[in-house]
Amino acid sequence: MSSKSLSFRFTALFAGIFIAGSLLLAVTTYAFLANSFHRDDYEEIHSRLLEFWAIYETGKIELIRKDLTLERLVMEDRLYMLRIAGRRNNTLYLYVPAHWSEYNPSLLETIPVIREEEFIQLPSANDRSILEISSLKLPDGNILQIGISTKRRQEVLRRFRRTFMYVFLPLAVLALLGGFLFSSRSLKPVRHLIEFTRGIIDTGRMNVRVPSRESGDELDELVGLFNRMLAKIDSLITGMRQSLDNVAHDLRTPMTHLRAKAELALQGRGKISAYQEALASCMEESERLLHMLSNLMDISEAETGVMKLDRNTIDLSSLIADMVELYGYSAEDKGITIARDSGESIPIFADLNRIRQVVANLLDNAIKYTPVGGVLTVSAGLQGKEAVVTIRDTGPGIPPQDLPHIWDRLYRGDQSRSQPGLGLGLGLVRAIVQAHGGQVGVESKPGHGASFVVRLPL
Ligand code: ADP
């Protein structure tokens, strides 16, 4: 487990929080215990002072002496020092439990002024315990002093510390172990995903999918998204491969024609007119190729968002009028009538030449696929914040199975093979309209013509 891995960081975090929490709890408990022991001792000293003050009032030192002997027999566990000092702090009476020889009460006589509110602290000669002494003035001017050793409470606190250490070390190990188990368990799906991705990179197989655990958690969602991404990449790659195949296929035919024509002309040896004819035909063929390539590049540019649009405010109505006039001749040749809504001006902010291309391609298709005697209806109008152009024909319509594909590059309907075309017209129409932020759609029932609708934002 490297120090950068998520497992390591999770384990450290888990154990860290657990250990810090236990430490905080222990320190708080320790402080609370120490504080309450301290307060207990002070209260004990205080009540003892008052008690002996009352005894002293009635029976002087003798009674106290007796009381202490009794007390010692009864309360062996709570020992204390008692001193009665004269006005000049000379010891009149001193009682110290027998085994408290480590404290030196004679030091008390060296203190010049005894103040009631101050605690006097006598250190032990053997350990770190202290004899804490409080004083009270007696009615006759003498001083009563009671002292309690901190030995007992220090011993309890020491035991607390030791017990905590005994419990804390196994707890810390447990926290580390728990953190490790928790992190390796929860990161298992991630590791699985990593191995899977590595497999895909190594083998290049995009059609495999990561099995879902169906747990419904975030990692499961990630797996779902990952699979969707794979599917999308897979379909894109397949699409690109198909496009490439189609382009290669569509380029091969005109290229073969070109070559055959040039070869034939060269074999003919002689007639200038034959050469001229061959060259003209080669030019025609290469023109077709260039047209196809430039359409393909236009579609790519528009789809990837790098198509440069030379936008200006143009009138869509007059653009359509021009195009209808232009295509009117070829429609007339085929005996097709074009009906146009003579609409009022529709100003749009668009690239004039590109929008001309859109209308031209749609009109060209409509004339191409509509049989003799058919009618085209071209209308343009405003709908909300959009300009809408509709081109309707009375041709054969588009079979439902072709509908989802007609916008794809190089796609040609089966019924359209008899007509000239590269299968790039509608692809370019859609790419240009989308580059303008608009939409294009088609409605068609076989046998009832097709109706193409272009929507462009104003
Ligand atoms: P092309 O016309 O060169 O084949 P397009 O991209 O312009 O390519 O059109 C794609 C396909 O959509 C055509 O092959 C044809 O099957 C169908 N199509 C387009 N316009 C029409 C229409 N007006 N009527 C019927 N089918 C159409």
Side-chain angles (χ1 to χ4, degrees), residues 398-440:
I398 302 165
Q401 70 273 16
D402 282 351
L403 276 177
H405 307 293
I406 55 169
W407 310 99
D408 295 346
R409 278 176 239 196
L410 300 165
Y411 183 84
R412 303 208 66 207
D414 282 340
Q415 300 168 334
S416 326
R417 302 274 176 207
S418 54
Q419 298 290 346
L422 297 168
L424 288 170
L426 290 183
L428 188 62
V429 165
R430 187 173 67 169
I432 294 176
V433 171
Q434 286 180 349
H436 277 82
Q439 284 171 332
V440 59

Side-chain angles (χ1 to χ4, degrees), residues 194-213:
I194 292 173
E195 275 161 29
F196 206 84
T197 313
R198 218 171 257 144
I200 291 176
I201 294 170
D202 291 347
T203 58
R205 282 172 57 215
M206 299 296 281
N207 57 348
V208 284
R209 299 289 172 266
V210 189
S212 163
R213 289 176 304 134

Side-chain angles (χ1 to χ4, degrees), residues 365-378:
N365 275 352
I367 295 168
K368 193 162 67 177
Y369 296 115
T370 303
V372 180
V375 181
L376 302 191
T377 321
V378 184

